[in-house]
Amino acid sequence: MHVNGTAAQPAPAPRDGSAAPAPGDPVQDSSAGRHARRFGLPVATALVMGNIIGGGIFLLPASVAPYGTVSLVAFGVLTVGAIALALVFGRLAQRDPRTGGPYVYAREAFGDFAGFLAAWAYWITTWVSNAALAVAAVGYLDVLIPVGGHRWTACLAALVIQWLPALANFAGTRYVGAVQLVSTVLKFLPLLLVAVGGLFFFDPRNLGPFNASGQSPIGAVSASAALLLFSYLGVESAAVSAGEVKNPRRNVGRATVIGTAGAALVYLLGTLSVFGTVPHDRLVTSAAPFSDAVNAMFGGGWGGWAVAAAALVSMTGCLNGWTLLSAQTPYAAARDGLFPAAFARRRRGVPTVGVGVTVVLASLLTVYNYTSGSAKVFQVLVLVTTFTATVPYLLASAAQLTHLVSGRRELVNPARLARDLVVASVAAGFSLWLVAGAGYAAVYQGVLFLFAGVVVYAVLAGRRRGAPADGPVGGGPQ
């Protein structure tokens, strides 16, 4: 059944922990038909891994090379924080496996306003990230098909790269899952070739100094971590789409942890292999470190083409997953009356209005990037996504801490209390570290985005209060 024009009030979750039926979920959505299909564990895991591993991995080794191999320590620290956050999402999804992820958790724990902030911040993160991915993908496309020589040709290519995944989403969740699974498999073939095959060509003499930054070891770890913080955005992917996952209480947590750990393994092995196959002085100035690694391993000049193709597949798959996520959180919020009601409309299992609005905003931002001619403006906006992502991350971690210290037996497993407290605390600390890594300019811009959301919330709240008492206004826990 469509949710047309108004936000329907979801049924409260039963105390026994079973999933509460929600209007528009695939199991109840009669419009979904054969085009909607719930994700199993493999596709949910691919969604997590595909959204975490975008195109950034192909540039990361060169980005952190100036700091030396101490950057591998930063990778390790970030991995611990990301897996802690993944475990928190898994535990929260067991308690409340509805579509929306951090939004659902924040609203249930702290009320409507916190839920709205989580949804608003996450929505900003998704569509700005989509624009960033599309613009970055043009650089790899240019290796295969010359499109970067003219500004408008490059802009058109970026728009096509954004709209193709959007069309897959409009076709239904069945096609979203298929594209995500295929793209994840295809992009991992060359990545694993370097990550695993590079170990057989590893030469310690290529590593260079442990700390090449001239800073203290702690300072070098923090500085390199600031460049790596983007790497783990996407750990929440399965939780946000929990309503589209089969047996979400079991599979969301597993997919989140497996996907995050798998992405971390590829990151660490890939970076280590590149460090060991490309001389340090060359790696520092490399524009295509994975291409250089393949050429060093096997000789020849085909590495650049192969890596460009892998990067393009990687980014397209990443855009496919992020486009779905960009619509899921507004859908959940609109269903509760905390976002414009149009976002609650679904077709073939997909919130089509959310997909459409998101791809239009991302397209406008892409056009602005090419017409302004300033890369710095766009870089700041990308950093803003790191800050805005921390808002739902921190609220979700805080929601888990709230449940753990509340003493409510239906929310807390006494046998796991100490372990869950440690994990939730680490996840909260990781979220705060993300804020520090975003930088002052990004935090400033991000706060402005959040304050704009406060105005939107004020309008929506006023309309809800003015609606008739028996009208279909949002509801739920306060």
Side-chain angles (χ1 to χ4, degrees), residues 138-150 153-154 157:
V138 171
Y140 290 100
L141 179 64
D142 190 52
V143 177
L144 307 174
I145 305 172
V147 294
H150 190 275
T153 304

Side-chain angles (χ1 to χ4, degrees), residues 10-70:
R15 286 187 175 272
D16 62 0
S18 60
D25 280 349
V27 70
Q28 295 183 348
D29 195 346
S30 62
S31 70
R34 62 187 178 90
H35 298 283
R37 181 177 295 173
R38 284 197 159 193
F39 303 149
L41 180 60
V43 173
T45 302
L47 184 67
V48 176
M49 294 186 72
N51 286 350
I52 293 177
I53 301 179
I57 188 173
F58 296 97
L59 298 175
L60 280 176
S63 299
V64 298
Y67 297 96
T69 52
V70 70

Side-chain angles (χ1 to χ4, degrees), residues 252-277:
V252 167
R254 292 188 176 190
T256 302
V257 174
I258 294 172
T260 303
L265 184 62
V266 172
Y267 278 145
L268 289 169
L269 287 180
T271 303
L272 181 62
S273 293
V274 173
F275 274 17
T277 53

Side-chain angles (χ1 to χ4, degrees), residues 127-128 130-136 138 150-163 358-375 377-378 381:
W127 62 264
V128 176
N130 284 359
L133 277 170
V135 172
V138 171
H150 190 275
R151 179 190 304 175
W152 290 112
T153 304
C155 181
L156 179 61
L159 294 176
V160 170
I161 290 171
Q162 287 181 52
W163 278 90
T358 294
V359 72
V360 168
L361 288 174
S363 298
L364 291 174
L365 184 57
T366 301
V367 172
Y368 170 75
N369 174 67
Y370 281 104
T371 56
S372 68
S374 174
V377 173
F378 197 73
L381 289 174

Side-chain angles (χ1 to χ4, degrees), residues 233-381:
L233 295 181
V235 298
E236 72 292 337
S237 302
V240 171
S241 296
E244 281 61 60
V245 177
K246 296 177 182 177
N247 192 5
R249 294 186 183 280
R250 176 178 179 269
N251 287 335
V252 167
R254 292 188 176 190
T256 302
V257 174
I258 294 172
T260 303
L265 184 62
V266 172
Y267 278 145
L268 289 169
L269 287 180
T271 303
L272 181 62
S273 293
V274 173
F275 274 17
T277 53
V278 182
H280 181 261
D281 57 347
R282 183 181 175 188
L283 183 60
V284 169
T285 59
S286 175
F290 272 73
S291 295
D292 292 338
V294 171
N295 290 336
M297 290 162 59
F298 305 109
W302 57 272
W305 184 91
V307 170
L312 198 57
V313 171
S314 174
M315 290 182 179
T316 303
C318 194
L319 275 168
N320 178 67
W322 276 107
T323 300
L324 175 64
L325 296 186
S326 68
Q328 296 288 24
T329 298
Y331 161 74
R335 207 177 53 191
D336 296 332
L338 299 181
F339 243 67
F343 284 85
R345 297 173 184 167
R346 292 172 68 120
R347 184 179 178 84
R348 295 175 175 176
V350 174
T352 50
V353 172
V355 170
V357 172
T358 294
V359 72
V360 168
L361 288 174
S363 298
L364 291 174
L365 184 57
T366 301
V367 172
Y368 170 75
N369 174 67
Y370 281 104
T371 56
S372 68
S374 174
K376 290 185 177 180
V377 173
F378 197 73
Q379 289 170 1
V380 170
L381 289 174

